[in-house]
Amino acid sequence: MSDNKVRRFSIKLKLVSVFAILIILSVCVLGILASFMARRATIEKVETHLVDKADDIAEIINGRIKSFFQFLEGIARMPVLTDESASIAEKMEVLQQELAFNQEIEELNITTLDGKRHLSSGKVISVGDREWFLAVKNGNDFFSEPIRSRIDTNKLVSVFAVPIYGENHQIKAILSANVKGSWLSDRIKDIQIGQTGYCFIIGKTGITIAHKNLEIVNSMLNPLTTNDAQYASLASLIKEGMNSDMKNVRYYDYKEETSIAAFGRVSSTGFLVVIRAPYSEFLGTIRTLRISMYIIGTL
């Protein structure tokens, strides 16, 4: 009798053990599959969102730059500026009156085609080697990356410049406006991606020209040329973005943290808009889901 009970108990224990193992395996497999599918779906959604966001930001920046050009072009068409008989002093007096209508502009000047920029103070400085001067002299509107001012060498400025045309539609001079070197940074500082993600802008040579941390802009950080090893992964990312029109996301490491990033390009300047966020932020919900499924399965 006791042998039969032991035998029945042994068979029951084996069956319970087998079914328990099958249930545990099933829960684990389901948890892994659910986690994988959720991870894949989340990443695809995040990638699409980031790419669209980067393009949208680039379009907004491009629109604001074009609006500034339209403002300057309106001033450049004023009769006194196109009148070749008017003196530089007369033209500068009109520009100072116009300066009061735009608080963003710090200097509004005329530059003659020999590279002499006439300031409101009466001082004349040479800008013949500046990229903005050379571009506008050839008939192109130009917005410069932040550069060291020749009026105050301790100051970063960006320059908007447009041609001033004469009656025969030939370029007679250049109208230029100095704005703060933080002009671009001020337009992206409130952009937030996820919980701690943000946006920054890279110039045509790799210099960081807009960032929520103005110290990075003021130091004119260039990840492509710095010797700091922590920027190596970011430099590779920027180089790839500068050399192609990427429409998908990339990953890079900075300070032992992996970030996900997407690119947009400002069509009027060629600047590279980068939006980034910690990779872990977007996968936090997936980890929570996986842990919850394991707990439910165990219970």
Side-chain angles (χ1 to χ4, degrees):
M1 188 70 177
S2 62
D3 290 342
N4 290 334
K5 287 183 178 180
V6 171
R7 191 178 299 111
R8 284 199 300 272
F9 180 76
S10 179
I11 293 173
K12 186 186 295 185
L13 181 61
K14 289 180 179 179
L15 288 174
V16 169
S17 299
V18 169
F19 281 111
I21 291 172
L22 289 175
I23 291 172
I24 292 172
L25 288 176
S26 299
V27 170
C28 289
V29 170
L30 287 174
I32 292 171
L33 288 176
S35 177
F36 175 77
M37 294 175 67
R39 179 190 181 96
R40 183 175 178 181
T42 301
I43 290 177
E44 288 179 355
K45 187 175 181 179
V46 167
E47 289 180 352
T48 301
H49 171 70
L50 289 181
V51 171
D52 291 342
K53 185 78 171 178
D55 285 337
D56 290 344
I57 295 172
E59 283 299 319
I60 291 172
I61 296 296
N62 192 57
R64 292 180 177 177
I65 291 174
K66 285 186 174 181
S67 295
F68 209 108
F69 280 141
Q70 290 171 356
F71 171 74
L72 287 184
E73 287 167 356
I75 297 176
R77 288 191 293 268
M78 294 178 67
V80 67
L81 297 186
T82 58
D83 185 359
E84 297 181 26
S85 64
S87 67
I88 292 292
E90 291 173 323
K91 295 178 180 181
M92 290 300 299
E93 183 178 352
V94 171
L95 291 183
Q96 294 316 299
Q97 295 173 3
E98 290 296 324
L99 188 60
F101 292 101
N102 194 317
Q103 299 300 317
E104 293 180 322
I105 301 177
E106 297 187 329
E107 279 280 342
L108 189 60
N109 309 131
I110 289 178
T111 302
T112 53
L113 296 183
D114 58 357
K116 304 299 182 184
R117 185 175 186 180
H118 296 262
L119 308 180
S120 56
S121 62
K123 186 179 178 181
V124 178
I125 61 174
S126 177
V127 294
D129 60 330
R130 289 293 204 189
E131 187 179 7
W132 61 264
F133 171 80
L134 298 173
V136 180
K137 188 177 180 180
N138 290 323
N140 302 306
D141 293 348
F142 195 87
F143 173 55
S144 77
E145 301 177 8
I147 53 178
R148 293 293 174 194
S149 171
R150 287 179 179 168
I151 302 172
D152 180 358
T153 55
N154 293 320
K155 190 175 184 180
L156 273 185
V157 297
S158 288
V159 181
F160 284 91
V162 298
I164 298 175
Y165 292 99
E167 292 182 358
N168 54 0
H169 203 67
Q170 288 185 345
I171 298 175
K172 297 301 181 181
I174 293 170
L175 177 65
S176 60
N178 280 11
V179 296
K180 291 180 179 179
S182 61
W183 190 86
L184 277 175
S185 299
D186 292 339
R187 274 135 194 85
I188 64 169
K189 65 182 180 182
D190 295 327
I191 295 174
Q192 184 169 318
I193 312 300
Q195 296 178 1
T196 60
Y198 55 86
C199 172
F200 60 95
I201 301 178
I202 300 296
K204 291 182 290 185
T205 60
I207 294 175
T208 305
I209 60 175
H211 199 284
K212 69 174 186 177
N213 183 355
L214 290 180
E215 286 301 317
I216 292 177
V217 178
N218 290 332
S219 66
M220 304 182 78
L221 172 69
N222 189 334
L224 301 182
T225 58
T226 182
N227 293 323
D228 193 336
Q230 67 180 347
Y231 290 105
S233 181
L234 177 59
S236 178
L237 179 87
I238 291 172
K239 189 178 296 183
E240 186 178 3
M242 293 173 66
N243 295 329
S244 64
D245 292 324
M246 293 191 302
K247 291 300 179 183
N248 51 4
V249 301
R250 291 291 188 273
Y251 302 89
Y252 72 94
D253 297 317
Y254 175 67
K255 291 185 176 179
E256 300 181 353
E257 180 180 60
T258 299
S259 295
I260 183 171
F263 299 93
R265 195 174 299 277
V266 181
S267 58
S268 60
T269 61
F271 298 158
L272 192 68
V273 173
V274 185
I275 59 173
R276 53 77 60 194
Y279 183 70
S280 58
E281 284 187 9
F282 296 106
L283 298 182
T285 55
I286 299 175
R287 285 196 297 270
T288 301
L289 173 65
R290 184 169 63 243
I291 293 171
S292 299
M293 292 188 69
Y294 288 156
I295 292 174
I296 293 172
T298 300
L299 292 175

